[in-house]
Amino acid sequence: MSVDAFNSAVAEVHRPSRTLAPKESDILGRIGNLETRLARTASEIDAAQAVRFRVFVEEMGAQLSPEAMRRKRDFDSYDEFCDHLLVLDRSIEGDSEDQIVGTYRLLRQEVAMANGGFYSASEFAIDDLLARHPDKRFMELGRSCVLPDYRTKRTVELLWQGNWAYALKHGMSAMFGCASFPGIHPESHALALSFLHHNVAAKDEWAVAALPHLARDMDLMPAEAVNPKRALMALPPLIKGYLRLGAMVGSTAVVDKAFNTTDVLIVLPIASISDRYLNYYGADAGRFSS
């Protein structure tokens, strides 16, 4: 998560001008009173940015641009051309904007290339990864956040349901994106980072590293000193969820002072997704679609 994106953001409202008519058919999943779909209107994107502000700034201590802090919205120029996956609690009274409890930002390769590249490329050597896979289509997952009261298995399942359905619809070959540890001191996460380095590092054609001037070592403990059970308990839930699906992790981390995080890059080829989860969500993403 780069501060440069915020410093270069225009001071006016950063949201698409398109307004999509609500359609029942665009709902990607439901569990109980929770529903996942893409944002349909500029006002829903604005509401998602407000949720992001609550999590990233008010909870995690991020420092955004003066305009973002004044408006109490986490926004940047990428919001204009990304798709925004939402989780809504339909039991909350009010409009859809009042019901957003979680969000993801999705960016397909063709859209990224038409608009200056992927967001993660400000921290990681994404271009090298893409160059090794000219026949594959990538999508970036970013800005993942869920309000505290909704950090449950159901919400995580719906977010993944939405990502999986979106990837299938658009013929994606692989997903990647930054995932974060709290704080700007990698040493405080030595156990978890070392576990990732020794056990799930992306290799060979999937290898990817942080940009050299930003790279921070993840090999902070020898392999024999890493207790896997304790390390797994120390992982943030989002990273743990990615690993269950079959994800790999880049070889070096990045400290993002603006967002008060230590970032690692998650790489998830579609072909690597565990059969257990493909069976659970459905090869056609149909598990929670109705």
Side-chain angles (χ1 to χ4, degrees):
M1 299 177 178
S2 169
V3 69
D4 292 338
F6 292 95
N7 291 337
S8 63
V10 182
E12 298 301 323
V13 175
H14 288 258
R15 56 194 183 198
S17 59
R18 67 184 188 276
T19 298
L20 304 179
K23 294 184 298 183
E24 181 71 13
S25 60
D26 67 1
I27 294 171
L28 301 176
R30 283 197 186 97
I31 302 178
N33 56 303
L34 298 180
E35 172 185 296
T36 187
R37 60 171 172 79
L38 297 182
R40 296 165 174 163
T41 65
S43 61
E44 287 186 347
I45 295 173
D46 181 74
Q49 292 169 339
V51 168
R52 284 159 35 181
F53 186 92
R54 289 171 61 183
V55 173
F56 298 143
V57 177
E58 296 177 357
E59 181 181 344
M60 298 175 61
Q63 292 294 318
L64 309 184
S65 69
E67 178 66 10
M69 300 299 283
R70 183 187 68 79
R71 288 181 45 215
K72 295 190 174 182
R73 298 291 188 275
D74 165 41
F75 66 83
D76 65 17
S77 57
Y78 285 81
D79 285 328
E80 298 183 14
F81 48 82
C82 288
D83 285 319
H84 299 262
L85 184 69
L86 309 176
V87 172
L88 303 96
D89 182 351
R90 287 305 195 183
S91 70
I92 297 175
E93 293 186 7
D95 298 326
S96 60
E97 291 83 356
D98 305 311
Q99 299 172 337
I100 298 170
V101 300
T103 184
Y104 245 117
R105 192 166 73 177
L106 311 180
L107 179 56
R108 286 173 282 128
Q109 184 171 354
E110 60 267 32
V111 178
M113 295 303 103
N115 289 278
F118 284 109
Y119 179 87
S120 302
S122 64
E123 293 187 346
F124 296 92
I126 301 301
D127 290 344
D128 294 344
L129 177 64
L130 301 182
R132 293 197 296 272
H133 299 276
D135 58 329
K136 292 182 172 62
R137 302 177 67 208
F138 286 77
M139 64 178 277
E140 181 181 60
L141 310 177
R143 287 301 203 275
S144 171
C145 66
V146 176
L147 294 178
D149 290 345
Y150 290 87
R151 290 171 190 167
T152 65
K153 180 181 178 182
R154 291 199 309 169
T155 309
V156 172
E157 285 183 341
L158 271 184
L159 283 171
W160 172 245
Q161 170 79 16
N163 288 334
W164 178 228
Y166 183 92
L168 287 180
K169 177 181 178 180
H170 294 284
M172 297 292 105
S173 309
M175 310 177 193
F176 68 86
C178 295
S180 301
F181 289 83
I184 59 173
H185 303 290
E187 297 78 13
S188 65
H189 301 289
L191 177 63
L193 290 173
S194 298
F195 172 82
L196 296 176
H197 172 82
H198 293 302
N199 293 280
V200 292
K203 298 177 181 178
D204 302 324
E205 62 174 338
W206 295 104
V208 62
L211 298 177
H213 67 288
L214 298 175
R216 300 291 294 271
D217 194 5
M218 294 169 57
D219 185 10
L220 301 174
M221 295 173 61
E224 59 271 18
V226 175
N227 181 308
K229 185 174 181 180
R230 289 182 55 231
L232 285 168
M233 291 176 61
L235 287 173
L238 180 64
I239 296 177
K240 198 180 304 185
Y242 283 134
L243 296 187
R244 290 192 188 106
L245 293 167
M248 301 172 283
V249 178
S251 60
T252 44
V254 172
V255 167
D256 186 343
K257 292 183 178 179
F259 273 81
N260 191 34
T261 58
T262 297
D263 298 341
V264 298
L265 190 75
I266 302 295
V267 181
L268 180 59
I270 298 296
S272 297
I273 295 175
S274 166
D275 287 343
R276 171 188 171 193
Y277 285 92
L278 287 181
N279 292 336
Y280 182 67
Y281 288 99
D284 61 352
R287 165 78 175 183
F288 301 113
S289 61
S290 60

